[in-house]
């Protein structure tokens, strides 16, 4: 059974970002006779410094979510989660870049807020489930375990950013859009005359919308950036070819903005935040087969007994590739791909699938050629 939605009328907390997806998710549940309680997370203190002008973290987004709730006749609340957002998402984002890594704030937000704090708040509202507008599916396997499965529309699938959901969380999570395409979602929104029906889709990290991540860091955390580790830029042979003003300015696979001239096209292939050394090399140096991941979550609730074949996805838009997952005794795991993968990046998520089902996920700690 896939994309399970309860038939028995239930009370459901729906995370509403102010976009069309979460609006339709809430509306579909209300149409089915469930008691919907819409909540929008207030993540910024709008009186302090630059804040997003678009996306899901704005005053406009709160107003749009409230308008949808009013149209569909269900309650809507705004939850002040500024402190948790700052601690678990923004601080992680800044700290990872200063450590020479590339973070995934959407995963952090899902783990700590949407399916962390909101799950806890759901209990105070008397809700049995928490629903979101993610394009993913939830179901149950033959043994009765909850499963996380890719959306029917693979082009919009968001299961990659949901790998941190535990078995207990999955049992209480709902994804009403998992069987729909984006076009069908907009059509449904128009049919219901929802205010968000034709709202522009956000493509960037919500709090960075309209900027680069460096512009965001420079605007909000200039004093932190001054402490960023400076150092040398070296080529693949170890020769110094330049200097830089902070490891936070680089990501694995980066080609532009290196400010070095070595006579050929080069890419960032390694970042050592301890020494401040950034290594640039030819593109083939980005090809690696093996990654060690930490913070591993197995959606079934327990790791496999030994190596298992999987499909590994090293970034959101990456095509899943055949690999072998080997659990480690310390809670980490090693993923060995059959073919080299380009620019596996420490700090990013590596998500592992069994067909369309999410089997596990973790954060890349280190990579190796073999």
């Amino acid at each position: 059974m896939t994309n399970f939605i309860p038939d028995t009328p239930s009370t459901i907390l729906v995370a509403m970002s102010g976009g069309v997806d979460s609006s339709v998710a809430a509306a579909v549940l209300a149409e089915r006779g469930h008691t919907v309680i819409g909540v929008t997370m207030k993540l910024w203190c709008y009186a302090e410094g630059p804040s997003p002008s678009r996306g899901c973290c704005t005053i406009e987004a709160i107003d749009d979510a409230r308008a949808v709730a009013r149209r569909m006749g269900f309650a809507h609340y705004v939850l002040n989660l500024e402190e948790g957002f700052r601690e678990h998402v923004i601080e992680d984002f800044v700290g990872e870049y200063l450590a020479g890594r590339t973070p995934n704030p959407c995963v952090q937000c899902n783990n700590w807020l949407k399916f962390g704090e909101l799950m806890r708040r759901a209990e105070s509202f008397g809700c049995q489930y928490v629903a979101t507008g993610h394009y993913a599916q939830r179901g149950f396997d033959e043994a009765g375990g909850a499963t996380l499965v890719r959306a029917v529309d693979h082009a919009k699938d968001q299961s990659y950013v949901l790998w941190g959901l535990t078995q207990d969380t999955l049992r209480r999570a709902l994804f009403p859009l998992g069987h729909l395409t984006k076009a069908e979602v907009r059509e449904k929104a128009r049919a219901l005359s929802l205010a968000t029906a034709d709202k522009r889709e956000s493509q960037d990290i919500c709090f960075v919308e309209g900027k680069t991540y460096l512009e965001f860091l420079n605007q909000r955390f200039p004093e932190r950036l001054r402490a960023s580790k400076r150092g040398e830029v070296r080529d693949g042979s170890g020769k110094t070819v330049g200097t830089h003003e902070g490891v936070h300015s680089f990501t694995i696979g980066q080609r532009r903005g290196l400010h070095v001239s070595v006579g050929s096209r080069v890419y960032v292939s390694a970042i050592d935040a301890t020494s401040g050394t950034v290594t640039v090399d030819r593109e083939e140096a980005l090809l690696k087969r093996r990654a060690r991941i930490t913070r591993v979550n197995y959606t079934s609730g327990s790791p496999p007994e030994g190596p298992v074949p999987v499909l590994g996805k090293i970034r959101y838009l990456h095509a899943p590739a055949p690999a072998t997952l080997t659990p480690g005794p310390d809670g980490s795991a090693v993923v060995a791909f059959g073919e080299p993968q380009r620019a596996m990046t420490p700090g990013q998520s590596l998500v592992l699938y069994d067909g369309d089902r999410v089997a596990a996920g973790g954060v890349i700690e280190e990579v190796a050629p073999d």
Side-chain angles (χ1 to χ4, degrees):
M1 181 185 299
T2 307
N3 208 34
F4 173 80
I5 302 295
D7 293 324
T8 304
S10 305
T11 304
I12 303 172
L13 191 76
V14 183
M16 300 185 68
S17 66
V20 64
D21 294 330
S22 59
S23 297
V24 171
V28 165
L29 293 172
E31 274 194 319
R32 293 195 182 188
H34 298 292
T35 299
V36 171
I37 298 176
V39 296
T40 302
M41 299 182 292
K42 180 176 180 291
L43 305 177
W44 292 95
C45 176
Y46 299 112
E48 296 180 4
S51 59
S53 58
R54 300 189 300 272
C56 65
C57 306
T58 67
I59 295 174
E60 178 189 4
I62 294 172
D63 289 340
D64 288 341
R66 183 178 293 118
V68 170
R70 187 181 304 114
R71 168 72 180 86
M72 297 303 299
F74 58 79
H76 175 264
Y77 299 91
V78 177
L79 300 182
N80 187 341
L81 299 180
E82 293 172 25
E83 184 176 346
F85 184 71
R86 184 180 299 111
E87 177 183 356
H88 295 296
V89 180
I90 299 297
E91 282 299 316
D92 179 81
F93 183 82
V94 178
E96 286 286 84
Y97 273 116
L98 292 177
R101 295 157 59 90
T102 304
N104 193 318
C106 294
V107 171
Q108 284 291 104
C109 188
N110 286 326
N111 288 345
W112 288 101
L113 297 180
K114 289 180 182 175
F115 294 98
E117 186 60 30
L118 288 191
M119 280 289 177
R120 292 185 285 273
R121 298 294 181 100
E123 296 180 5
S124 65
F125 281 104
C127 297
Q128 291 83 45
Y129 299 96
V130 169
T132 70
H134 286 103
Y135 286 84
Q137 298 187 86
R138 188 202 71 156
F140 292 94
D141 59 26
E142 294 179 355
T147 59
L148 176 63
V149 181
R150 296 177 74 188
V152 168
D153 186 351
H154 282 192
K156 298 299 296 182
D157 174 61
Q158 293 173 297
S159 62
Y160 174 86
V161 296
L162 299 172
W163 63 262
L165 303 191
T166 65
Q167 183 65 200
D168 287 344
T169 299
L170 277 173
R171 288 182 177 277
R172 298 177 58 203
L174 299 176
F175 305 108
L177 307 187
H179 63 294
L180 300 174
T181 65
K182 185 73 175 192
E184 290 171 332
V185 168
R186 288 205 182 275
E187 182 180 351
K188 182 68 174 177
R190 294 187 190 105
L192 292 172
S193 300
L194 300 185
T196 56
D198 296 302
K199 190 172 182 178
R200 184 184 68 86
E201 185 173 14
S202 175
Q203 298 290 339
D204 302 316
I205 298 168
C206 66
F207 56 86
V208 179
E209 179 103 16
K211 311 181 188 73
T212 67
Y213 82 89
L214 281 176
E215 288 172 337
F216 170 80
L217 292 175
N218 277 307
Q219 284 181 6
R220 292 193 68 96
F221 303 98
E223 73 290 345
R224 299 276 293 276
L225 297 195
R226 284 193 286 271
S228 180
K229 187 69 174 181
R230 290 153 173 75
E232 297 180 339
V233 180
R234 300 177 182 175
D235 64 17
S237 69
K239 177 184 176 182
T240 299
V241 294
T243 59
H244 66 82
E245 293 301 308
V247 294
H248 66 277
S249 301
F250 302 93
T251 59
I252 300 298
Q254 178 180 335
R255 181 172 70 85
R256 300 183 184 279
L258 303 182
H259 305 296
V260 297
S261 179
V262 296
S264 62
R265 179 176 293 181
V266 292
Y267 303 77
V268 174
S269 60
I271 302 170
D272 184 342
T274 302
S275 66
T277 301
V278 174
T279 301
V280 297
D281 210 335
R282 293 179 296 179
E283 188 169 17
E284 50 264 38
L286 299 175
L287 299 174
K288 304 289 176 63
R289 290 180 183 269
R290 186 180 298 266
R292 184 175 69 87
I293 58 176
T294 57
R295 293 185 250 170
V296 184
N297 177 59
Y298 298 94
T299 55
S300 66
S302 59
E305 294 183 357
V308 292
V310 291
L311 296 172
K313 190 171 182 178
I314 63 173
R315 58 181 62 88
Y316 180 64
L317 296 178
H318 179 251
T324 299
L325 165 67
T326 304
D330 60 351
S332 67
V334 172
V335 180
F337 286 90
E339 298 293 334
Q341 304 299 302
R342 185 184 185 279
M344 286 196 283
T345 305
Q348 287 281 282
S349 293
L350 201 170
V351 182
L352 307 161
Y353 293 81
D354 177 6
D356 280 342
R357 180 181 65 85
V358 175
V363 176
I364 298 172
E365 285 296 318
E366 55 187 357
V367 297
D370 298 317

